Short mmCIF file of all heavy atoms in Angstrom, two decimals:
data_model
loop_
_atom_site.label_atom_id
_atom_site.label_comp_id
_atom_site.label_asym_id
_atom_site.label_seq_id
_atom_site.Cartn_x
_atom_site.Cartn_y
_atom_site.Cartn_z
N GLY D 140 1.53 110.38 -17.59
CA GLY D 140 1.54 110.97 -18.92
C GLY D 140 0.16 111.31 -19.46
O GLY D 140 0.04 111.73 -20.62
N ASN D 141 -0.86 111.12 -18.67
CA ASN D 141 -2.23 111.35 -19.15
C ASN D 141 -2.62 112.82 -18.92
O ASN D 141 -3.38 113.16 -18.01
CB ASN D 141 -3.20 110.41 -18.46
CG ASN D 141 -4.59 110.45 -19.08
OD1 ASN D 141 -4.89 111.31 -19.91
ND2 ASN D 141 -5.44 109.52 -18.67
N ALA D 142 -2.07 113.69 -19.78
CA ALA D 142 -2.25 115.13 -19.58
C ALA D 142 -3.72 115.57 -19.59
O ALA D 142 -4.12 116.40 -18.74
CB ALA D 142 -1.44 115.91 -20.62
N PRO D 143 -4.56 115.08 -20.51
CA PRO D 143 -5.96 115.52 -20.49
C PRO D 143 -6.67 115.20 -19.17
O PRO D 143 -7.38 116.05 -18.62
CB PRO D 143 -6.60 114.75 -21.66
CG PRO D 143 -5.46 114.47 -22.58
CD PRO D 143 -4.28 114.23 -21.69
N ALA D 144 -6.42 113.97 -18.66
CA ALA D 144 -7.09 113.58 -17.41
C ALA D 144 -6.55 114.41 -16.25
O ALA D 144 -7.33 114.87 -15.39
CB ALA D 144 -6.89 112.09 -17.16
N ILE D 145 -5.24 114.62 -16.20
CA ILE D 145 -4.67 115.41 -15.10
C ILE D 145 -5.21 116.84 -15.13
O ILE D 145 -5.57 117.42 -14.10
CB ILE D 145 -3.13 115.36 -15.15
CG1 ILE D 145 -2.66 113.94 -14.80
CG2 ILE D 145 -2.51 116.38 -14.19
CD1 ILE D 145 -1.19 113.67 -15.09
N ALA D 146 -5.33 117.40 -16.34
CA ALA D 146 -5.90 118.75 -16.46
C ALA D 146 -7.35 118.77 -15.98
O ALA D 146 -7.78 119.71 -15.30
CB ALA D 146 -5.80 119.22 -17.91
N LEU D 147 -8.09 117.73 -16.34
CA LEU D 147 -9.48 117.61 -15.89
C LEU D 147 -9.55 117.61 -14.37
O LEU D 147 -10.35 118.35 -13.77
CB LEU D 147 -10.08 116.32 -16.45
CG LEU D 147 -11.40 115.85 -15.86
CD1 LEU D 147 -12.53 116.76 -16.31
CD2 LEU D 147 -11.70 114.40 -16.26
N TYR D 148 -8.72 116.79 -13.74
CA TYR D 148 -8.78 116.66 -12.28
C TYR D 148 -8.33 117.96 -11.59
O TYR D 148 -8.93 118.38 -10.61
CB TYR D 148 -7.92 115.48 -11.81
CG TYR D 148 -8.34 114.16 -12.43
CD1 TYR D 148 -7.41 113.23 -12.86
CD2 TYR D 148 -9.70 113.84 -12.59
CE1 TYR D 148 -7.80 112.03 -13.43
CE2 TYR D 148 -10.10 112.64 -13.16
CZ TYR D 148 -9.14 111.74 -13.59
OH TYR D 148 -9.53 110.56 -14.17
N ARG D 149 -7.30 118.58 -12.12
CA ARG D 149 -6.84 119.84 -11.54
C ARG D 149 -7.94 120.90 -11.63
O ARG D 149 -8.20 121.63 -10.68
CB ARG D 149 -5.61 120.35 -12.26
CG ARG D 149 -4.36 119.61 -11.92
CD ARG D 149 -3.12 120.47 -12.19
NE ARG D 149 -1.92 119.74 -11.88
CZ ARG D 149 -1.54 119.41 -10.66
NH1 ARG D 149 -2.27 119.76 -9.63
NH2 ARG D 149 -0.44 118.72 -10.47
N ALA D 150 -8.57 120.96 -12.80
CA ALA D 150 -9.64 121.96 -12.99
C ALA D 150 -10.80 121.72 -12.03
O ALA D 150 -11.51 122.66 -11.67
CB ALA D 150 -10.12 121.93 -14.44
N ALA D 151 -10.97 120.46 -11.61
CA ALA D 151 -12.06 120.12 -10.69
C ALA D 151 -11.63 120.28 -9.23
O ALA D 151 -12.43 120.00 -8.33
CB ALA D 151 -12.52 118.68 -10.95
N GLY D 152 -10.39 120.68 -9.00
CA GLY D 152 -9.96 120.96 -7.64
C GLY D 152 -9.13 119.87 -6.98
O GLY D 152 -8.78 119.98 -5.80
N PHE D 153 -8.82 118.81 -7.72
CA PHE D 153 -7.98 117.74 -7.15
C PHE D 153 -6.55 118.26 -6.95
O PHE D 153 -6.05 119.06 -7.75
CB PHE D 153 -7.94 116.52 -8.08
CG PHE D 153 -9.17 115.67 -8.03
CD1 PHE D 153 -10.34 116.08 -8.68
CD2 PHE D 153 -9.18 114.46 -7.34
CE1 PHE D 153 -11.49 115.30 -8.64
CE2 PHE D 153 -10.32 113.68 -7.30
CZ PHE D 153 -11.48 114.09 -7.95
N THR D 154 -5.91 117.76 -5.91
CA THR D 154 -4.51 118.10 -5.65
C THR D 154 -3.68 116.82 -5.60
O THR D 154 -4.22 115.72 -5.42
CB THR D 154 -4.37 118.88 -4.33
OG1 THR D 154 -4.97 118.11 -3.29
CG2 THR D 154 -5.04 120.23 -4.41
N ASP D 155 -2.37 116.99 -5.73
CA ASP D 155 -1.46 115.84 -5.76
C ASP D 155 -1.19 115.30 -4.37
O ASP D 155 -0.92 116.07 -3.44
CB ASP D 155 -0.13 116.27 -6.39
CG ASP D 155 -0.25 116.42 -7.89
OD1 ASP D 155 -0.53 115.41 -8.56
OD2 ASP D 155 -0.10 117.55 -8.39
N ASP D 156 -1.23 113.97 -4.26
CA ASP D 156 -0.90 113.32 -2.99
C ASP D 156 0.43 112.57 -3.06
O ASP D 156 0.95 112.16 -2.03
CB ASP D 156 -2.01 112.32 -2.60
CG ASP D 156 -3.29 113.03 -2.23
OD1 ASP D 156 -3.23 114.22 -1.88
OD2 ASP D 156 -4.35 112.39 -2.30
N GLY D 157 0.92 112.33 -4.26
CA GLY D 157 2.18 111.60 -4.38
C GLY D 157 2.27 110.85 -5.68
O GLY D 157 1.42 110.99 -6.56
N VAL D 158 3.32 110.05 -5.79
CA VAL D 158 3.60 109.30 -7.02
C VAL D 158 3.86 107.85 -6.63
O VAL D 158 4.54 107.58 -5.63
CB VAL D 158 4.83 109.88 -7.75
CG1 VAL D 158 5.24 108.99 -8.91
CG2 VAL D 158 4.55 111.30 -8.22
N ARG D 159 3.33 106.93 -7.41
CA ARG D 159 3.63 105.50 -7.23
C ARG D 159 4.49 105.09 -8.43
O ARG D 159 3.99 104.98 -9.55
CB ARG D 159 2.32 104.72 -7.18
CG ARG D 159 2.43 103.35 -6.61
CD ARG D 159 1.06 102.80 -6.23
NE ARG D 159 0.61 103.29 -4.93
CZ ARG D 159 -0.66 103.37 -4.57
NH1 ARG D 159 -1.61 103.01 -5.40
NH2 ARG D 159 -0.99 103.80 -3.37
N ARG D 160 5.77 104.93 -8.18
CA ARG D 160 6.73 104.69 -9.27
C ARG D 160 6.47 103.37 -9.99
O ARG D 160 6.29 102.34 -9.36
CB ARG D 160 8.15 104.66 -8.72
CG ARG D 160 8.59 105.95 -8.05
CD ARG D 160 9.05 106.98 -9.06
NE ARG D 160 9.28 108.28 -8.42
CZ ARG D 160 9.05 109.44 -8.98
NH1 ARG D 160 8.60 109.52 -10.21
NH2 ARG D 160 9.26 110.57 -8.33
N GLY D 161 6.46 103.46 -11.33
CA GLY D 161 6.37 102.25 -12.16
C GLY D 161 5.10 101.45 -11.95
O GLY D 161 5.08 100.24 -12.16
N TYR D 162 4.04 102.10 -11.60
CA TYR D 162 2.80 101.40 -11.23
C TYR D 162 2.11 100.78 -12.45
O TYR D 162 1.59 99.68 -12.39
CB TYR D 162 1.86 102.38 -10.54
CG TYR D 162 0.56 101.79 -10.08
CD1 TYR D 162 0.52 100.88 -9.03
CD2 TYR D 162 -0.65 102.14 -10.68
CE1 TYR D 162 -0.68 100.34 -8.59
CE2 TYR D 162 -1.85 101.62 -10.25
CZ TYR D 162 -1.86 100.72 -9.20
OH TYR D 162 -3.05 100.19 -8.77
N TYR D 163 2.11 101.51 -13.56
CA TYR D 163 1.37 101.05 -14.74
C TYR D 163 2.28 100.39 -15.75
O TYR D 163 3.43 100.79 -15.94
CB TYR D 163 0.71 102.24 -15.44
CG TYR D 163 -0.43 102.88 -14.68
CD1 TYR D 163 -0.29 104.15 -14.14
CD2 TYR D 163 -1.63 102.22 -14.52
CE1 TYR D 163 -1.33 104.75 -13.44
CE2 TYR D 163 -2.68 102.81 -13.83
CZ TYR D 163 -2.53 104.07 -13.30
OH TYR D 163 -3.56 104.66 -12.62
N PRO D 164 1.76 99.43 -16.49
CA PRO D 164 2.50 98.85 -17.62
C PRO D 164 2.76 99.94 -18.67
O PRO D 164 2.07 100.95 -18.69
CB PRO D 164 1.56 97.79 -18.19
CG PRO D 164 0.53 97.57 -17.15
CD PRO D 164 0.42 98.83 -16.35
N PRO D 165 3.76 99.72 -19.53
CA PRO D 165 4.06 100.74 -20.55
C PRO D 165 2.85 101.06 -21.41
O PRO D 165 2.04 100.20 -21.71
CB PRO D 165 5.15 100.09 -21.39
CG PRO D 165 5.71 99.01 -20.55
CD PRO D 165 4.62 98.55 -19.63
N CYS D 166 2.76 102.32 -21.80
CA CYS D 166 1.67 102.78 -22.66
C CYS D 166 2.30 103.50 -23.85
O CYS D 166 2.75 104.64 -23.70
CB CYS D 166 0.77 103.72 -21.88
SG CYS D 166 -0.57 104.42 -22.85
N PRO D 167 2.37 102.89 -25.03
CA PRO D 167 3.08 103.49 -26.14
C PRO D 167 2.40 104.70 -26.75
O PRO D 167 3.06 105.61 -27.21
CB PRO D 167 3.14 102.35 -27.17
CG PRO D 167 1.97 101.48 -26.85
CD PRO D 167 1.78 101.60 -25.36
N ALA D 168 1.07 104.71 -26.74
CA ALA D 168 0.35 105.82 -27.35
C ALA D 168 0.25 106.96 -26.36
O ALA D 168 0.31 106.75 -25.16
CB ALA D 168 -1.05 105.37 -27.77
N PRO D 169 0.07 108.20 -26.84
CA PRO D 169 -0.12 109.34 -25.94
C PRO D 169 -1.52 109.33 -25.38
O PRO D 169 -2.31 110.20 -25.63
CB PRO D 169 0.11 110.55 -26.86
CG PRO D 169 -0.32 110.06 -28.19
CD PRO D 169 0.03 108.60 -28.24
#
Side-chain angles (χ1 to χ4, degrees):
N141 189 350
I145 291 168
L147 166 72
Y148 302 139
R149 284 203 181 290
F153 283 76
T154 55
D155 285 297
D156 291 339
V158 173
R159 197 164 279 155
R160 299 279 171 214
Y162 182 69
Y163 290 111
C166 177

